[in-house]
Amino acid sequence: MTTIIGVMTSGGDSPGMNAAVRAVVRRAIDRGIRVWGIFDGYEGLVQGGDHIRLLKWGDVGGILQKGGTFLGTARSDLFRTKEGRRLAALNLLKAGIEALIVIGGDGSLMGAHVLSSEWPEHVADILTNHSDLESRQENPVLKIVGLPGSIDNDLHGTDMSIGADTALNHIVRAIDNLASTAASHQRTFVVETMGRHCGYLALAASLAGGASWVLVPEEELELRWHQKMVASIEKSRQLGRPHQMIIVAEGARHADGLLISSSEIRKILSERLGIDVRVTVLGHVQRGGSPSAFDRLLATRLGVAAVDLLVNEPNRPHSHMIGLIKNRVVATPLVEVVEKSQAVRQEIENGNYGKALELRGESFRYYLDLVKTLTRITPAQERSADGAVAILTAGADAPGMNAAVSVAARCLLNHGVPVYGSRDGFYGLIRDDFVELDWHEMVSWVNRPASEIGTARFTFEESDFPKIAANISKRQIRALIAIGGLGTYLKIRQITEMRHRYDALNIPMIILPATIDNNLPCTEFSIGSDTALNNIVEAVDKIRHTAGATRRTFIVEVMGRECGFLALMGAMASGAEKAYLPEIGISLADLNRDVEIMKESFSRGKRMFIYLRNEQSSYHYTTDFICRLFEEESKGLFEVRTAILGHLQRGGIPSAFDRITASRMGAEAAFALLKAMEEEKTTVQVLGLRGRGLTIVPIEEALGEMDLKRGRPREEWFMRLLEVAETLAKQGPPECE
Ligand code: ADP
């Protein structure tokens, strides 16, 4: 079994690397493994000496929320040589390191792979020439576990690499800001994103930010692609669209392989259209800053999984990279990761764009097609007279609802189907209050908070159903999309239960999960939950900064109703000490134990405790009660404060992840309904994101997964992470150090 490991960050830094190092170090120490931190990447490994230091539990405290990497990173030309790698091997042997965890991009993982392939040769040479070296093992091995650390998201073996989500949020925010100034001046903006060989950031930002045109390295452009772009921008201006935004990845190329620069695009547009075009090259701001909630959680899960792989599967041959595919941790042989990641790059270099696009996988192609549909100036098909689809948003609003409505509606309009927005949820259906959704108007909806078509909570009365049926007939509504939380699921079921009485209700319907609480069946993420999580994490980060030198405990109350997702994930992503969850409840014994832990830790010099309490984790042990109890029991050793985050969790601009999830779900709902209408089906289904990706299940199956009394699914995937959250938040007792 592995007892000594090394951990390092390498190549370009990416936000979340610190979270990964913290997870590796704490998980390893907790499992009885000693961890050497290798500072300054491969350069540090080659240099040895002070660059390789033992890490303790406390060394990785307070780094989770920081961007960059506290281990430092560097490019190393020495490591590219065999002699350099021999020095690295010598240093690994000196420290007795049996497994090396490398967090970095494809270059770094390639370096690790090369070192691993040469290992036996290096060992033989070193043991012959360094007779003084006391190797702890007869036959020293070196295992490698790679973690994907790259903002470009260009690695095979993971859906997302550590840092990509943060970078995407930076880009999307920049686009939002530019859009508002562009609108005031009728300006056209060219925004250049990072991604020399990968168009992920540009493509995802186009979807989440609402681009007018996108250029990525993986797409083979026509010889005269710019004529089409110019015509599209001209048309968009004539239509009076508030702004035009061209998003270009830094590696986008002409068909002949020459790079397309953003200033070239500006020149083309301003010369041919005589308009004011501004270029924004986002550069390193994309890389910097505090990691998003998603990146912190991704990095934490992968870091823990890397150590677990070494401990739980000591006999697994090969070196691996640990990634997250469809929200599951997956280990892929390092050689496969390196070869496949570099293959795309090679195909682009060789001008085989079609092959490069194919290698990127299905979802990349899907995003590209979707962005192309959404950037159209007019729908592909003429409006047909053959009935319409209605869309409604119901219950509490969730960030991302507008993206779902707008993308679903545009996908339907593109097929000639008119779309009505039902105003204020189900009220519109009852009162015949609809707004016909317009292609041009919806272009700028993607970043708007709340719901443009309105949302409301209410309860049906018996007399509502005939009205709904009459309005559906009158408006020739042939299908319905409902976007909302559990209340919406139940109301749609109520409507379908009335089908035997009102024939007009026999239309296909599809529900999209949208609630910040993430308490819905058949989906691991609901629209809005990522924004809420980021709001919580940002708030806790701020609270952390206020504590000064005092000894203080904060009880932060978060939403979630009877579901602990926001509390548990919020605690894990913000480094809070504990989450009180409705799934577990709160007992007096728990509170007693927490008081003892606080007393002990504060007297050992700890400055702050943060507990996240879900709003419904206990009926009697309220946030205020716990605060008073702790305060009383502290006997003056520490202070206790509360912060009830309330509606600030729900508000604000939707995160990139929520916009993308909502867009994908919106598109999928539209396609499913087009099919159902064509086949004259009247199914009522629920959309979700889990396991193998987007899934559609009958409403009865979805509700069958719910514990309706408690208002949460019977099985909740994130509860598997409770043990991880608890381990990493331990107080690092002396025996752990
Ligand atoms: P990233 O990991 O972000 O892609 P780089 O491509 O700069 O960053 O790689 C980081 C480091 O990994 C390099 O400075 C070098 O030391 C090492 N490395 C990259 N490619 C190789 C290779 N083919 N052989 C040996 N070492 C390599």
Side-chain angles (χ1 to χ4, degrees), residues 562 706-712:
E562 293 270 359
M706 285 295 286
D707 179 342
L708 284 171
K709 216 172 105 218
R710 296 213 158 79
R712 62 175 178 247

Side-chain angles (χ1 to χ4, degrees), residues 189-200:
F189 268 95
V190 181
V191 179
E192 184 181 308
T193 68
M194 283 192 165
R196 230 170 299 159
H197 298 96
C198 181
Y200 173 82

Side-chain angles (χ1 to χ4, degrees), residues 13 63 83 336 595 614:
D13 64 311
I63 63 167
E83 299 72 50
E336 183 185 326
V595 168
N614 157 286

